Amino acid sequence: MARVALTRVLEPGDAVGGRWLREWGAVAVLRCLVDGPDGADGIGRVDRADRADGGGGGDRNGGVPGTDSVAEVDGVAGSDGVAGADGRGGTEGRGVLQGLEGVGPEARLPGVTAKRWEGLRARARRVRAVRDLETAAAAGARFVMPGDAEWPAQLDDLGDARPVGLWVRGHPSLRIWALRSVAVVGARACTEYGAHVAAGLGAGLAERGWVVVSGGAYGVDGAAHRGALGAGGATVAVLACGVDRPYPRGHAQLIGRIAEQGLVVGELPPGDHPTPSRFILRNRVIAALTRGTVVVEAAYRSGALVTARCARDLGRHTMGVPGPVTSGLSAGVHELLRGDAVLVGDAAEVVELVGDMGDLAPRRRGPVVPRDLLDPGAARVLAALPARGSAGVREVAREAGTSADDAVVRLYELRSLGFVERHGDGWQLTRQAFLSVFPEGGDA
């Protein structure tokens, strides 16, 4: 319950708040924010068992808080409403928070200014955790936190910047789906080429049993989601707002369909709105959830590049799809490819990189033409014939670097295959052979 409340207090990616959670647990942090340092008496020193999940265990062992409350916090914080870290009421504690900055009523948790602390306290006094849970349940969403069976452990790679918890809308298990997932991100104002490539990647990955993760935005994100859905596959949309309030509004139907067939995930509580900074910070969740990130069209200042760089910093695979060098929407991708990113062209190449050993993409080669099937001797004789007109056996033998007898044998082989024909004492290419040897109609 304390973590539910803190999703309204702490901004996504707040590493200072993450440190508080790791060191003192969510219940102690919230009580300190609501009632001040004196209100945190008895909750601060959380023992090793209480912190089994890296900061969230104290809340888990505390039991469900009562509904009596001060400071307008529904059943979470306040002198009468919070269970202690040992499962008893807050008045039966085990010590006070250590490391506070300042003294007396002005004391605050470390790492923030007094002005910022007051802002956080103002937020904390107005949270309604029970109401948020009820609103989420009405929208078919649930709250998942560190230590839960559904929590994806790879998010812990974010350290203190990991989410306080996630609001999840949809039936599948987020942890299971995230095990075999790939992020496909890119420009909102993408070209037809970018939309086509993103949809192809989404469909191809889905057909190979991979979950496609993206941000639900216009452009590349939407195309990737639609590609996966169209192939009857799995997709996850990570939003920068409440999961009950789809953004952008033009994608309300798409995000609703994702919630029915896949998962919609967000850090922000129900009804909360996106901001530019929240879009950027949302990208770290996309990068951490998945095995790798593919960027399809991105300018130099694209948020998709933030996702790719975060994936790289977390040790995930980073991939890019090249585009025209004259397009500004390809400039950011090309810059990635000049660094550590790997060039990919389709889903098979993505799976070869992020998948298991043996998941190899098919070998790429141009079309096979009839002359490719000739043995080297016959190919040399064929190449010795002129593009126009005919040539005698001795001339052909000289150009092919062989004997006249061998040239005759090869010419008759080529005649049987339809490459050459005889005219008197000379030999010349048939029209079929001319187009095969000189596909552009030039002279050799």
Side-chain angles (χ1 to χ4, degrees), residues 168-314:
V168 181
R169 182 180 165 201
H171 300 293
S173 166
L174 177 61
R175 182 181 70 84
I176 298 300
W177 272 30
L179 292 175
R180 281 177 59 88
S181 64
V182 177
V184 180
V185 296
R188 286 177 171 82
C190 68
T191 65
E192 290 184 8
Y193 163 78
H196 175 78
V197 170
L201 286 171
L205 288 167
E207 289 167 354
R208 288 166 173 79
W210 287 80
V211 177
V212 177
V213 179
S214 198
Y218 292 132
V220 167
D221 289 15
H225 288 309
R226 290 188 182 95
L229 291 170
T235 188
V236 177
V238 182
L239 305 185
C241 57
V243 295
D244 64 328
R245 184 171 295 182
Y247 186 90
R249 292 187 181 276
H251 273 180
Q253 185 175 0
L254 172 63
I255 292 172
R257 187 179 170 203
I258 293 172
E260 293 174 0
Q261 189 170 322
L263 290 171
V264 177
V265 178
E267 294 180 75
L268 295 165
D272 230 344
H273 63 279
T275 64
S277 63
R278 288 172 172 178
F279 280 117
I280 296 299
L281 290 165
R282 176 272 310 270
N283 293 342
R284 82 193 195 289
V285 177
I286 295 176
L289 268 179
T290 54
R291 288 200 193 179
T293 295
V294 186
V295 182
V296 181
E297 290 196 326
Y300 281 122
R301 288 176 56 83
S302 172
L305 299 183
V306 176
T307 311
R309 291 172 186 138
C310 184
R312 177 196 62 199
D313 293 342
L314 291 169

